Amino acid sequence: RAAGLLKKAMELSVLCECEIGLFVVGEGDQKLMQYTSSASTTMEELMLRWIQLPGMPDIVRTNEDLPQVSAAVSGAAGSSKQNAGSDDE
């Protein structure tokens, strides 16, 4: 699963043209993985940039938001399929 998460982080970085930093921490504070999308930027540098940005993030999510996020993703996928179908007419 960690490899799948890493692959998604890499894909998002490319598709969204953004820098991504990812920590995966296991049970008992076991460090499982650290990833940054830029070979020239360390996680520490990326975190400092984040901390120094003014204001709050545009989006803040936790696992409690999963049903809402899943519904939004499902709705977006359904409308994309409908739009794709309407082009064939």
Side-chain angles (χ1 to χ4, degrees):
R1 292 183 185 230
L5 180 61
L6 177 61
K7 181 181 177 197
K8 290 294 181 191
M10 291 176 169
E11 291 170 346
L12 282 171
S13 171
V14 172
L15 292 172
C16 298
E17 297 179 1
C18 64
E19 286 191 66
I20 293 181
L22 172 69
F23 286 122
V24 177
V25 180
E27 300 255 345
D29 294 334
Q30 177 188 7
K31 293 180 182 178
L32 299 179
M33 179 176 38
Q34 176 180 319
Y35 162 77
T36 55
S37 55
S38 172
S40 62
T41 304
T42 67
M43 183 62 82
E44 292 80 9
E45 292 168 333
L46 190 57
M47 289 174 60
L48 282 174
R49 280 185 38 215
W50 173 263
I51 291 167
Q52 293 170 354
L53 290 173
M56 294 296 295
D58 294 334
I59 300 170
V60 177
R61 296 282 188 229
T62 68
N63 282 357
E64 292 176 5
D65 300 313
L66 183 60
Q68 176 186 0
V69 171
S70 294
V73 170
S74 296
S79 66
S80 294
K81 289 178 183 178
Q82 289 174 349
N83 290 339
S86 65
D87 290 342
D88 295 336
E89 294 177 5

